[in-house]
């Protein structure tokens, strides 16, 4: 059972396949097993790593409380343990915040970060205002409707049930991740790091609008933008085919210039 040490905290992770490395960082209701549809699809071409942040899945959950500011260090612990030098970190929702911070902490190990359905905690007044407006609309919906489309819930009651059960394996909760946004990186800090950033979002994301994500892309020079038609906030679960294709495309695209150099 692979474990990494994050300042004395045991972090569980898994490694599958071979090739250029992709490390997935789950959101508030996930853990390493949430990526089952990604591991199976991508491991033939890539090294796929999944991690449980502290308080989630099989990682140490014994502490009395959790601080979202510790989560980037959990990702870094896996990067160091595996001695990766050109990983692409892929975050889901608020897990993208941990992924971006980890990339900025270890730019020598991270070539790119994909911010899935998230702005990655970027500190920028316009983006914060846009994201707040999106959240104000999202909270009007039941939680499940923010994450999966209604047609999917009707047609795939089995996968919807399993999706809801995923979070029951975690001790940490959404409130434990919220302060991860505190003192986020500026656009200038991201550019100076040399880490390449891509925004990956779904057209039907009820939590973060395409308009907001597109504006973030416009404000961050050199960033990439992937909008998947018809996909919801949790598109890794509901529409894994297009999601996996986008991740694979970004891994190849964002890696190529560095390898050519």
């Amino acid at each position: 059972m692979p474990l990494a040490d994050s300042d004395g905290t045991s972090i569980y992770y898994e490694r599958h396949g071979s090739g250029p490395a992709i490390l997935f960082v789950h959101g508030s209701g996930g853990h390493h097993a949430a990526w089952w549809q990604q591991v199976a699809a991508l491991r033939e071409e890539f090294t796929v790593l999944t991690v449980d942040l502290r308080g989630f899945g099989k990682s140490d959950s014994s502490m009395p409380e959790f601080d979202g500011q510790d989560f980037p260090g959990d990702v870094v612990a896996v990067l160091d343990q595996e001695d990766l030098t050109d990983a692409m970190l892929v975050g889901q929702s608020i897990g993208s915040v941990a992924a971006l911070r980890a990339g900025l902490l270890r730019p020598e190990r991270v070539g790119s970060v994909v911010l899935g359905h998230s702005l990655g905690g970027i500190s920028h007044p316009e983006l914060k205002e846009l994201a707040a407006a999106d959240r104000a609309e999202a909270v009007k919906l039941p939680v499940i409707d923010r994450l999966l489309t209604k047609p999917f819930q009707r047609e795939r009651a089995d996968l919807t049930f399993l999706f809801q059960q995923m979070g029951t394996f975690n001790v940490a909760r959404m409130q434990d991740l919220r302060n991860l946004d505190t003192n986020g990186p500026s656009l200038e800090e991201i550019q100076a790091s040399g880490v390449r950033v891509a925004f990956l979002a779904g057209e039907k994301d009820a939590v973060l609008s395409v308009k907001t994500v597109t504006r973030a892309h416009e404000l961050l020079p050199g960033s990439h933008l992937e909008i998947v038609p018809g996909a919801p906030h949790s598109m890794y679960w509901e529409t894994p085919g297009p999601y996996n294709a986008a991740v694979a495309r970004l891994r190849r695209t964002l890696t190529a210039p560095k390898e050519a150099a």
Side-chain angles (χ1 to χ4, degrees):
M1 182 169 80
L3 293 173
D5 181 271
S6 178
D7 291 329
T9 299
S10 294
I11 301 301
Y12 177 85
Y13 72 97
E14 294 185 0
R15 177 173 181 155
H16 304 272
S18 60
I22 301 173
L23 194 162
F24 287 99
V25 185
H26 62 77
S28 61
H31 46 72
H32 72 278
W35 303 107
W36 60 284
Q37 297 179 100
Q38 285 64 58
V39 172
L42 299 171
R43 63 188 172 189
E44 294 301 316
E45 182 179 353
F46 306 103
T47 296
V48 181
L49 299 104
T50 57
V51 61
D52 288 339
L53 300 173
R54 64 184 65 201
F56 292 82
K58 294 184 176 182
S59 285
D60 188 358
S61 304
S62 62
M63 54 283 293
E65 60 182 9
F66 304 93
D67 186 345
Q69 295 287 322
D70 293 326
F71 294 141
D74 297 344
V75 179
V76 166
V78 175
L79 293 170
D80 289 345
Q81 174 85 4
E82 289 293 313
D83 195 22
L84 300 176
T85 57
D86 185 31
M88 182 172 84
L89 306 184
V90 181
Q92 168 61 22
S93 192
I94 204 162
S96 294
V97 183
L100 180 57
R101 290 201 172 193
L104 298 181
L105 286 169
R106 287 289 190 279
E108 72 277 12
R109 297 198 178 281
V110 177
S112 56
V113 177
V114 177
L115 304 178
H117 306 275
S118 172
L119 302 183
I122 295 172
S123 180
H124 188 278
E126 181 183 351
L127 294 180
K128 286 188 175 182
E129 184 176 332
L130 289 171
D134 288 345
R135 281 194 298 272
E137 291 300 311
V139 296
K140 298 176 183 178
L141 301 171
V143 173
I144 191 64
D145 290 346
R146 303 174 204 171
L147 308 177
L148 302 173
T149 65
K150 283 186 175 296
F152 181 82
Q153 294 176 52
R154 289 194 302 268
E155 297 163 14
R156 294 308 310 265
D158 53 348
L159 287 181
T160 300
F161 176 76
L162 180 59
F163 177 82
Q164 293 173 303
Q165 292 300 302
M166 280 287 173
T168 66
F169 293 92
N170 303 324
V171 175
R173 294 291 181 263
M174 181 66 183
Q175 57 266 31
D176 297 311
L177 290 97
R178 288 194 187 280
N179 74 330
L180 194 53
D181 274 342
T182 305
N183 298 322
S186 67
L187 297 171
E188 293 74 21
E189 288 172 326
I190 296 170
Q191 283 186 277
S193 73
V195 173
R196 307 181 73 181
V197 171
F199 296 93
L200 175 59
E203 179 190 21
K204 293 186 177 180
D205 190 337
V207 177
L208 189 67
S209 69
V210 168
K211 176 184 176 182
T212 297
V213 176
T214 301
R215 183 57 182 149
H217 163 61
E218 293 171 347
L219 289 169
L220 183 57
S223 65
H224 291 243
L225 177 66
E226 286 266 356
I227 303 295
V228 178
H233 187 73
S234 296
M235 76 169 146
Y236 73 97
W237 188 273
E238 180 172 330
T239 57
Y243 177 87
N244 296 341
V247 169
R249 185 164 54 248
L250 287 168
R251 172 73 259 206
R252 300 183 197 114
T253 301
L254 298 181
T255 301
K258 189 170 184 178
E259 290 179 344

